[in-house]
Amino acid sequence: NHKRHRKYRQLPSPPGLPVIGNLHQIGELPHQSLWKLSKKYGPVMHLKLGRVPTVVVSSAETARQVLKVHDLNCCTRPGLIGQRELSYNYLNIAFSPFDDYWKEVRKLCVQELFSTKQVHSIQPIKEEEVKKLIDSISESASQKSPVNLNKKCLALTVSVVCRAAFGVSSEGTLLSNDRFNKLIREAFEMLGSFSASDFIPYIGWIIDWFTGLQGSREKSARDLDAFYEQVIDLHKEGKEVGSEDFVDLLLRLEKEEAVLGNDKLTRNHIKAILLDVLLAGMDTSAITMTWAMTELARNPRVMRKVQTDIRTQMGNREIVSMDDIEQFHYLKMVIKETWRLHPTTPLLLPREVMSEVQIDGYTIPVKTRIHVNVWAIGRDPKTWKDPEVFLPERFMDSDIDAKGQHFELLPFGGGRRICPAIYMGTTMVEFGLANLLYHFDWKLPEAMVVEDIDMEEAPGLTVNKKNDLLLVPTKYLNP
Ligand code: HEM
């Protein structure tokens, strides 16, 4: 054993404390703390989080080794306490271990919910919801009052996803009020917090109990459960095959006692799948739109350029179509640049090594937890010139896209666990932003200057702008 150990190169590792290891170095925004540590310890570093051996990779090359070269050996999930409660024992896609159930449920969702065909079929819903958004912003414009972009962007994605996936309008459900927005936020915050129970055996739960994490976890799980019940109740009477929405389909499969992998589909499976759509589907697109608007407000040159580009393409037409979006090349670069600096899920979702792998010549043993720090990769000066500058033009003559094949830009992750809804998410962001930018000019509230816009991040598994972005709209009148 001793001999075997010497064969291995020692992984760079910041010194830790007894029992908690490096946990105290993680902080409220783990992606930022880990980025700073990686500058000192390199693109593959080892941390001990409580008892859990963890490896963090922070460069495009080491991410490629994890997500491509060794994907099959490290594409399971570690099984965390907070995730277990919210996912009815890992019955959703995102937290499921790598097994036959995961393969089949993921395939089902890709075919029935995320496919290009499905995305096109929900375009009328998007158009209606965007029109409501434009109307409400027009009202603010006529009163010259500021609009809360964090809120507006989330309201848009919530209403689209609710109607498209759940077949219900968000109005009149638990989703319609602010309390629910808070619930989504809390669920994410909880999923992103590093819970002591996950790292310190036997006594960790006491810490979670003291910090209140255990209580908020139970409350989030209860509230979310109530929401699924409400959605399912609204779908009680069976519909004909063909006119069913996604929830109808799941309920029918349950009734037919369908089997996915080795699991017979139950009510809990359905709820867990709805959790994915709810959390992964609504927040991520809204966050991207909010950060994009923030960067545009801070960079007036880019704002003018993207608006001119969109308005020139549109001529005097009113309604932005899917075909138009394909022509908004500068907007697409703005979105990529936003994802480089503000990936919605900065550490992706954690993975766990299933059989020993080598990363950069270091041996990573079974059961090691792996985080890919996409946020750090986006700011790596070895990959990006002047990484702190928001410069969409850097994508002008480059073939880098966000679909998981270019490891310097990974907003959707990569490998087998890559986001299954890239097309749905991207088109949502493009369509929302195109409309905000086409129909309105945006100014800072009076007495505020560009330097006043803060870029603080709110903690969580997904990372949004912490303080609301307030901008004053002026309606663009088509000449
Ligand atoms: C701009 C929008 C979106 C972004 C940036 C985004 C990003 C991500 C990321 C980073 C992951 C983790 C990948 C990994 O661990 O390697 C992920 C996974 C996932 N996303 Fe998305 N996502 C978006 C939209 C959506 C939408 C609209 C849905 C569904 C309605 C969705 C459903 C999922 C699911 C189910 C997973 C888990 C996949 C698995 O573990 O097999 N996402 N997403």
Side-chain angles (χ1 to χ4, degrees):
N1 195 13
H2 199 71
K3 230 185 190 164
R4 217 178 130 217
H5 252 111
R6 255 191 312 177
K7 216 173 59 189
Y8 298 154
R9 282 166 68 200
Q10 185 81 35
L11 267 162
S13 179
L17 297 172
V19 187
I20 62 168
N22 304 97
L23 263 183
H24 62 298
Q25 287 154 317
I26 295 294
E28 212 189 19
L29 296 168
H31 57 284
Q32 289 203 25
S33 325
L34 293 171
W35 173 59
K36 284 180 195 132
L37 286 172
S38 76
K39 288 196 215 176
K40 182 156 176 211
Y41 294 93
V44 194
M45 61 180 178
H46 174 267
L47 288 99
K48 198 110 196 201
L49 300 181
R51 292 276 293 274
V52 180
T54 303
V55 162
V56 182
V57 298
S58 314
S59 69
E61 170 50 28
T62 50
R64 188 184 70 84
Q65 292 177 36
V66 171
L67 300 176
K68 186 164 183 180
V69 182
H70 300 298
D71 188 36
L72 189 54
N73 296 325
C74 52
C75 64
T76 200
R77 301 288 192 208
L80 307 180
I81 304 270
Q83 303 183 348
R84 185 180 70 206
E85 264 167 69
L86 289 186
S87 64
Y88 303 84
N89 250 336
Y90 316 117
L91 296 182
N92 64 342
I93 304 174
F95 307 145
S96 165
F98 178 64
D99 61 12
D100 288 340
Y101 169 71
W102 169 79
K103 280 180 205 160
E104 293 201 9
V105 73
R106 187 174 156 119
K107 199 166 107 197
L108 178 79
C109 291
V110 166
Q111 284 167 354
E112 299 295 333
L113 197 57
F114 309 143
S115 68
T116 311
K117 183 168 151 256
Q118 276 310 109
V119 172
H120 283 265
S121 78
I122 65 167
Q123 186 59 19
I125 295 181
K126 279 202 234 163
E127 283 170 13
E128 272 176 47
E129 295 300 328
V130 159
K131 177 148 193 328
K132 284 187 211 161
L133 177 74
I134 295 170
D135 289 346
S136 105
I137 297 177
S138 300
E139 211 158 288
S140 304
S142 63
Q143 292 161 12
K144 298 190 171 50
S145 58
V147 165
N148 180 335
L149 268 308
N150 292 53
K151 243 189 190 165
K152 288 289 179 208
C153 294
L154 187 62
L156 175 66
T157 58
V158 166
S159 51
V160 171
V161 174
C162 226
R163 284 182 60 190
F166 303 150
V168 298
S169 151
S170 59
E171 288 147 35
T173 70
L174 285 171
L175 278 182
S176 60
N177 52 32
D178 277 358
R179 211 190 108 260
F180 199 82
N181 291 349
K182 208 168 139 238
L183 170 64
I184 298 182
R185 211 45 254 154
E186 279 168 1
F188 264 114
E189 221 169 275
M190 226 185 56
L191 289 172
S193 60
F194 282 60
S195 159
S197 314
D198 287 325
F199 301 106
I200 307 173
Y202 311 121
I203 55 159
W205 67 272
I206 303 177
I207 301 174
D208 286 346
W209 186 71
F210 266 116
T211 57
L213 193 59
Q214 181 56 27
S216 52
R217 205 144 58 196
E218 283 166 11
K219 187 171 171 304
S220 277
R222 262 199 320 273
D223 290 351
L224 286 168
D225 192 82
F227 169 71
Y228 312 136
E229 289 288 340
Q230 196 181 22
V231 169
I232 289 169
D233 272 350
L234 290 168
H235 284 80
K236 272 287 162 59
E237 67 277 19
K239 288 181 203 152
E240 292 160 41
V241 180
S243 72
E244 339 169 284
D245 62 36
F246 187 60
V247 179
D248 292 321
L249 171 81
L250 293 175
L251 289 171
R252 178 165 60 80
L253 292 177
E254 176 196 31
K255 214 155 140 201
E256 294 169 2
E257 309 197 352
V259 175
L260 292 176
N262 295 317
D263 289 32
K264 201 165 84 187
L265 196 78
T266 67
R267 188 56 57 91
N268 280 354
H269 291 79
I270 296 179
K271 289 176 175 174
I273 298 167
L274 296 185
L275 166 81
D276 272 343
V277 176
L278 190 74
L279 289 191
M282 295 176 181
D283 209 37
T284 43
S285 313
I287 289 179
T288 306
M289 286 189 245
T290 306
W291 281 120
M293 289 302 288
T294 307
E295 289 289 5
L296 291 173
R298 286 212 312 165
N299 295 276
R301 176 196 69 87
V302 180
M303 175 76 100
R304 271 195 304 279
K305 184 164 169 183
V306 72
Q307 288 186 310
T308 307
D309 196 49
I310 292 172
R311 288 171 185 171
T312 310
Q313 302 272 0
M314 287 296 290
N316 47 21
R317 281 172 307 116
E318 266 294 307
I319 313 277
V320 180
S321 70
M322 290 285 266
D323 290 337
D324 290 322
I325 286 177
E326 285 320 302
Q327 304 310 316
F328 297 159
H329 299 296
Y330 194 61
L331 176 66
K332 286 175 187 276
M333 292 188 242
V334 167
I335 295 170
K336 282 187 203 173
E337 185 67 340
T338 304
W339 277 331
R340 179 180 71 80
L341 286 170
H342 311 283
T344 61
T345 321
L347 292 173
L348 303 183
L349 301 181
R351 293 169 157 242
E352 193 178 87
V353 177
M354 297 145 76
S355 57
E356 193 177 277
V357 293
Q358 298 261 334
I359 310 284
D360 254 11
Y362 296 109
T363 302
I364 320 281
V366 176
K367 285 272 170 204
T368 304
R369 197 170 297 170
I370 299 195
H371 291 290
V372 178
N373 195 343
V374 173
W375 197 90
I377 295 172
R379 283 154 206 262
D380 185 352
K382 290 201 190 78
T383 304
W384 304 104
K385 190 167 173 284
D386 300 326
E388 297 298 324
V389 181
F390 187 82
L391 186 71
E393 283 78 1
R394 66 174 86 237
F395 292 104
M396 189 97 97
D397 295 313
S398 114
D399 62 352
I400 295 178
D401 66 33
K403 295 179 196 158
Q405 293 304 316
H406 300 271
F407 297 87
E408 52 275 75
L409 187 71
L410 294 167
F412 295 99
R416 285 169 178 75
R417 286 287 185 164
I418 196 169
C419 177
I422 296 183
Y423 186 61
M424 188 173 175
T426 307
T427 47
M428 183 74 228
V429 169
E430 290 171 347
F431 190 66
L433 282 174
N435 276 285
L436 290 177
L437 295 167
Y438 176 48
H439 293 287
F440 302 97
D441 288 325
W442 297 92
K443 282 198 204 66
L444 293 172
E446 221 165 301
M448 206 173 148
V449 290
V450 165
E451 290 72 27
D452 294 335
I453 302 177
D454 80 278
M455 300 300 276
E456 248 187 285
E457 299 178 327
L461 186 63
T462 57
V463 170
N464 203 353
K465 181 169 166 10
K466 182 171 181 177
N467 303 305
D468 291 338
L469 175 69
L470 299 177
L471 295 175
V472 182
T474 314
K475 186 109 176 102
Y476 168 69
L477 296 174
N478 216 326

